[in-house]
Amino acid sequence: MGVNQGIEIDIQHDSYVLTGDIDLILSNRRMVLSLNRLLCEKREDKLSIPYSNLNKSKEYVLQEIEELLQKFQIDYKLSDTTEGIVIEYRREKENFADFSKKAFDIRNDKFQDNPDLVRLFEEFAGVVKFALHRNLYPLQLLSAFHIAFSQNACNFSVPGAGKTSIVYGAYAYLKDLNKDSDKYVDKILVIGPLSSFAPWENEYRECFGKEVKSQRLSGDSGISKKNKRNHLYSQNPNELTLISHQGFNNLEKEIIDFLKNNDVMVVIDEAHRIKNVEGVWGRSVIEIAKFAKSRIVLTGTPIPNGYEDLYNLFQFLYPYKFKDILKTNYGQLERLTKRNATYRDDSVKNFTDNIKPYFVRIKKNDLKLPPYKEKSIYVEMDDLQKEIYDFIEAKYVKYFQNTPSAAAKEILNKARLIRLRQAATNPSLLRISLSESFEGNVLDKRDILLEYSGLRVPDLNQKFAELDSLGIQNKSILDKIVEYENCIPKKFIEIKELLERDIFKNNGKAIIWTIFIQNAKQLKSYLKDNNIDSRLLIGEIPVEEREYVVDKFNNPNNEEFKVVIANPFSVSESISLHKGCHNAIYMERDYNAGYFMQSKDRIHRYGLGEDVVTRYFYMLSNNTIDLIISENLDKKVKRMEDIINEDIPFFKRIDDFDETDVITQLLIKYAERD
């Protein structure tokens, strides 16, 4: 602070008022632009900054004003009233440091030397034991205590660790507090994918032994905006409110009012979907955070794209303190990502240590799950499929070697690999456009290739236009692809026989994973022709029907159907199938190790008996790209399993969308066979 004290900062009502030599400020254009972002207004001979309109704490706004004055070397002093705010802020900061230390000790289960925390934990455990109908295992109980103590916390535990039960454990305690308590809550708002809604409702019943009164604000076209508003403005709203990430933005104001009028715990489920810090969704969820009594972040993949992903999560968790917690800025986090920094990097270690008091992570090896078995089943293609596959592979090998433009090579090679994989599993898929082969937005980069290379099929009369653009212009082969529509893929036959000779004989159920949507539909029809009833779990199936299928399938006594056919891009998150199913069959696998591991976690989760054996079967067409993808994926999974055991797993170190290794191995294997 300077000695001339040309500016005095006072506080009046809900604004900071700057008096004194304000012309010194107004003559500095850069200073004025900076103050404008704080909604600064000139009133007579004063500058007024209304902190309440900024939705920021008065301490935070004062800090910004001081930093600006210091930056532009303008002398100032604080009024006695404002000085009192600073003193109170420092005291609060000291209290928060003490709180953080205790939260850190709870996180690491090292609070036994603190009598107050021991007493609080015993009280917490007693309330939870009385309130819940299920027992939380020790790490769940510790994680729930961490949330209840912190009130605002992240849980980065792996899928299958029981994050929903952990939240309900903390909620049970906070709801049991005196209503005058600052921590008291009696409502939960969950913002998550549609597939998470039924698990939240079902887990409530499992935890509390009764049905929950819930209100879904997304996923049901029959709910009008008026009905949604009626719930949010009700004098007695339902205990559990569920809304999707996508549906949230349209009700931001109403949700803020809902939070102002009720004691609400806000839970962001699958929180890694809070992406760009400047995105609409990111800004909206952070905006409502300021009005929640308790804020919970749940995700097993906190940094799917980079360390900067944590910026939004902690901005939601502590809207006014996140910069103090992170002790870094968004740009510095981006730079850590760009250089693929690991835990051996001091910057990453320091950053992780800074945020450890505010998150808990139950790792895969903490769950002590029973072992699982994996088996590859090698399928011999019939003559017609082999002829189609061999022709396409020979054609594409030349293109992989000779495509001139780097951009075109990346785009077209992605398309060719997809087509080659379809030929290896079911050549009739070659008659379907790539845009129809996948669901919704799961194409990722693949939808770009459709635009660049004209790989679209406008109508049935031009169904092979796409294949022509990929270099398949042989009429004989195109005729054979048409002919194959009357054939049964050998993988279908192998799956049916596996079900009949093994899984059904042991009174088991199976989930069959397939990447291509038409495969799911054709397999369902084929199994039905062979008296095997199945259900689809793919994106186009309505939410209500999917929930019915999951509920029935999880019931060990249900004999209505014993097979579900699912798409890993659509249903690899949120659902649990381990209660009724212990067998998974993969008709084909993608390079994406993340989706693959999530799909495995659907049936290999906490809660399995020690004698339960989980089995995975991989269908591989012999001497095809299937074997190369399988080998490549196994290597990725091994590396990803190592990353999973880190406190904050940075999966971006494995490029799940890079086909380079697959193409390289394909060329090597092709040369060996040739």
Side-chain angles (χ1 to χ4, degrees):
M1 189 182 297
V3 293
N4 295 328
Q5 299 180 339
I7 296 293
E8 180 176 87
I9 305 174
D10 194 13
I11 187 167
Q12 297 177 9
H13 304 298
D14 57 359
S15 300
Y16 285 106
V17 176
L18 278 60
T19 57
D21 191 2
I22 63 170
D23 289 337
L24 185 62
I25 294 176
L26 297 176
S27 64
N28 188 321
R29 186 166 176 267
R30 289 174 60 204
M31 177 74 173
V32 171
L33 287 173
S34 297
L35 285 173
N36 284 342
R37 286 194 287 271
L38 294 176
L39 305 182
C40 181
E41 295 180 358
K42 184 176 183 299
R43 295 178 179 175
E44 299 176 351
D45 57 348
K46 304 174 184 177
L47 294 178
S48 176
I49 300 174
Y51 59 81
S52 60
N53 292 346
L54 294 168
N55 277 327
K56 298 179 180 179
S57 72
K58 57 180 178 290
E59 296 87 2
Y60 189 82
V61 175
L62 177 59
Q63 185 178 345
E64 289 191 72
I65 295 171
E66 287 190 285
E67 286 175 355
L68 282 174
L69 292 170
Q70 291 166 7
K71 178 180 178 181
F72 293 103
Q73 298 181 338
I74 297 175
D75 297 330
Y76 69 93
K77 70 174 182 178
L78 303 179
S79 69
D80 291 342
T81 305
T82 312
E83 190 71 50
I85 291 173
V86 173
I87 293 170
E88 180 61 31
Y89 175 68
R90 287 172 183 161
R91 185 181 299 117
E92 182 183 331
K93 198 168 184 179
E94 290 172 0
N95 292 339
F96 188 74
D98 179 63
F99 154 80
S100 299
K101 168 73 168 58
K102 291 176 180 176
F104 179 80
D105 289 343
I106 292 171
R107 173 196 192 275
N108 294 310
D109 197 12
K110 293 183 178 179
F111 59 89
Q112 287 74 16
D113 292 336
N114 186 321
D116 289 338
L117 287 182
V118 170
R119 177 191 54 76
L120 190 61
F121 176 73
E122 291 173 350
E123 176 190 311
F124 168 81
V127 170
V128 170
K129 186 175 182 180
F130 178 80
L132 298 192
H133 280 228
R134 64 160 44 149
N135 292 324
L136 301 182
Y137 63 84
L139 280 178
Q140 282 182 324
L141 190 65
L142 184 69
S143 300
F145 180 48
H146 180 266
I147 290 177
F149 175 80
S150 304
Q151 200 170 351
N152 309 305
C154 296
N155 191 308
F156 296 153
S157 300
V158 297
K163 291 190 284 291
T164 307
S165 296
I166 289 170
V167 171
Y168 279 140
Y171 172 73
Y173 176 78
L174 296 176
K175 187 179 179 182
D176 190 66
L177 294 173
N178 189 294
K179 290 185 178 181
D180 295 331
S181 169
D182 291 338
K183 289 187 173 184
Y184 173 79
V185 295
D186 64 354
K187 302 285 185 293
I188 299 181
L189 168 66
V190 176
I191 305 170
L194 295 176
S195 58
S196 72
F197 289 4
W200 276 99
E201 292 166 337
N202 295 337
E203 284 297 304
Y204 186 100
R205 181 177 63 248
E206 294 288 331
C207 286
F208 294 101
K210 61 181 180 181
E211 297 293 335
V212 64
K213 290 184 178 180
S214 66
Q215 177 64 57
R216 299 187 182 191
L217 302 182
S218 303
D220 185 349
S221 57
I223 303 176
S224 67
K225 186 162 185 178
K226 180 181 178 181
N227 289 337
K228 296 174 184 178
R229 285 174 54 86
N230 286 343
H231 165 72
L232 293 171
Y233 287 105
S234 169
Q235 293 295 315
N236 186 28
N238 289 343
E239 186 174 3
L240 177 64
T241 302
L242 301 150
I243 190 167
S244 71
H245 301 96
Q246 294 80 10
F248 176 81
N249 296 329
N250 295 329
L251 289 167
E252 180 182 330
K253 180 186 180 302
E254 290 86 348
I255 288 174
I256 287 175
D257 290 341
F258 172 71
L259 298 180
K260 287 179 178 178
N261 296 328
N262 296 277
D263 298 309
V264 186
M265 170 187 282
V266 177
V267 180
I268 311 295
D269 200 0
E270 305 295 353
H272 52 273
R273 299 189 183 206
I274 308 178
K275 295 181 180 177
N276 184 353
V277 68
E278 297 299 332
V280 174
W281 154 237
R283 290 198 305 270
S284 295
V285 75
I286 289 163
E287 192 61 35
I288 67 107
K290 301 159 187 172
F291 305 98
K293 287 287 290 289
S294 171
R295 297 178 285 273
I296 311 300
V297 166
L298 304 180
T299 174
T301 53
I303 50 173
N305 301 305
Y307 293 102
E308 63 272 18
D309 292 337
L310 288 167
Y311 194 87
N312 266 356
L313 301 188
F314 278 90
Q315 195 172 358
F316 166 77
L317 202 66
Y318 284 105
Y320 305 125
K321 293 187 176 73
F322 74 100
K323 289 184 179 179
D324 293 333
I325 290 170
L326 297 177
K327 294 182 174 62
T328 187
N329 58 45
Y330 193 80
Q332 289 170 325
L333 294 175
E334 283 185 311
R335 286 190 284 278
L336 286 179
T337 298
K338 286 178 181 176
R339 70 170 193 259
N340 277 330
T342 69
Y343 277 83
R344 290 185 291 273
D345 188 303
D346 286 341
S347 297
V348 175
K349 185 179 182 305
N350 292 337
F351 170 65
T352 306
D353 287 344
N354 290 340
I355 63 175
K356 274 185 178 179
Y358 317 106
F359 79 88
V360 167
R361 178 169 172 78
I362 299 174
K363 302 173 186 176
K364 193 79 173 179
N365 51 16
D366 293 328
L367 298 178
K368 295 180 172 53
L369 298 177
Y372 60 82
K373 295 182 178 180
E374 296 178 288
K375 181 179 181 180
S376 295
I377 298 175
Y378 297 94
V379 180
E380 296 296 336
M381 296 183 290
D382 59 40
D383 291 342
L384 182 58
Q385 181 179 5
K386 190 174 188 306
E387 185 176 354
I388 294 169
Y389 179 87
D390 288 348
F391 178 88
I392 295 175
E393 184 184 51
K395 274 279 188 182
Y396 284 178
V397 162
K398 294 178 182 178
Y399 283 100
F400 292 146
Q401 295 170 329
N402 302 320
T403 305
S405 161
K409 185 171 184 177
E410 179 186 359
I411 292 165
L412 291 173
N413 282 352
K414 288 178 185 294
R416 289 175 182 128
L417 284 179
I418 293 169
R419 286 310 193 187
L420 196 56
R421 291 157 64 195
Q422 290 178 329
T425 193
N426 178 6
S428 68
L429 300 178
L430 297 169
R431 296 192 69 180
I432 303 168
S433 70
L434 285 179
S435 58
E436 293 174 292
S437 296
F438 298 90
E439 285 191 304
N441 60 359
V442 301
L443 274 177
D444 197 63
K445 294 179 182 177
R446 299 168 184 140
D447 55 0
I448 300 174
L449 69 89
L450 296 175
E451 300 296 338
Y452 273 83
S453 54
L455 308 182
R456 293 198 180 278
V457 184
D459 55 54
L460 293 176
N461 295 325
Q462 295 179 306
K463 61 183 68 175
F464 291 120
E466 192 176 316
L467 294 177
D468 287 347
S469 67
L470 291 173
I472 304 176
Q473 298 166 323
N474 184 292
K475 185 178 185 305
S476 173
I477 288 297
L478 297 180
D479 288 342
K480 291 182 186 300
I481 293 172
V482 174
E483 180 185 346
Y484 195 85
E485 288 194 340
N486 298 316
C487 300
I488 304 299
K490 290 295 291 290
K491 285 189 179 182
F492 285 21
I493 297 171
E494 288 288 344
I495 288 172
K496 177 186 78 73
E497 291 180 354
L498 174 62
L499 290 170
E500 291 174 337
R501 73 171 180 265
D502 184 326
I503 294 172
F504 291 164
K505 281 193 175 180
N506 291 296
N507 198 31
K509 297 180 180 181
I511 179 168
I512 302 170
W513 295 100
T514 178
I515 295 164
F516 305 112
I517 299 309
Q518 196 60 28
N519 253 359
K521 297 175 180 178
Q522 289 183 18
L523 178 62
K524 182 179 188 298
S525 178
Y526 169 71
L527 293 178
K528 184 176 182 181
D529 291 342
N530 287 273
N531 301 313
I532 298 175
D533 200 8
S534 62
R535 297 290 187 275
L536 296 180
L537 284 178
I538 59 178
E540 67 184 58
I541 302 299
V543 173
E544 298 85 352
E545 185 176 338
R546 271 191 274 170
E547 291 176 357
Y548 173 83
V549 169
V550 170
D551 186 55
K552 284 287 186 182
F553 194 63
N554 262 330
N555 184 349
N557 300 318
N558 170 53
E559 296 293 328
E560 187 178 341
F561 58 92
K562 293 186 175 182
V563 176
V564 295
I565 306 170
N567 180 282
F569 300 129
S570 303
V571 294
S572 62
E573 288 184 334
S574 299
I575 66 168
S576 300
L577 300 171
H578 65 294
K579 295 175 183 176
C581 176
H582 311 301
N583 303 284
I585 302 171
Y586 290 79
M587 193 185 307
E588 67 278 307
R589 293 193 288 173
D590 192 64
Y591 336 103
N592 191 300
Y595 283 125
F596 171 62
M597 293 184 72
Q598 284 179 342
S599 70
K600 290 181 72 176
D601 288 335
R602 297 311 98 205
I603 63 171
H604 196 237
R605 305 168 70 82
Y606 180 80
L608 291 170
E610 293 182 3
D611 58 336
V612 173
V613 178
T614 302
R615 300 187 297 172
Y616 301 103
F617 300 92
Y618 309 127
M619 297 289 166
L620 307 174
S621 290
N622 219 355
N623 294 320
T624 70
I625 191 173
D626 279 1
L627 276 64
I628 296 165
I629 289 176
S630 181
E631 182 180 338
N632 181 272
L633 185 60
D634 288 343
K635 291 177 182 176
K636 280 186 179 180
V637 167
K638 178 63 177 70
R639 282 152 55 200
M640 192 168 275
E641 285 175 342
D642 293 337
I643 294 173
I644 280 175
N645 287 321
E646 297 175 352
D647 277 331
I648 303 182
F650 181 16
F651 293 114
K652 190 66 174 180
R653 302 204 297 268
I654 298 175
D655 190 343
D656 260 357
F657 294 97
D658 183 14
E659 292 87 357
T660 306
D661 291 344
V662 174
I663 292 175
T664 301
Q665 287 299 312
L666 180 69
L667 295 176
I668 293 171
K669 296 293 184 184
Y670 182 80
E672 290 175 352
R673 292 200 307 271
D674 198 43

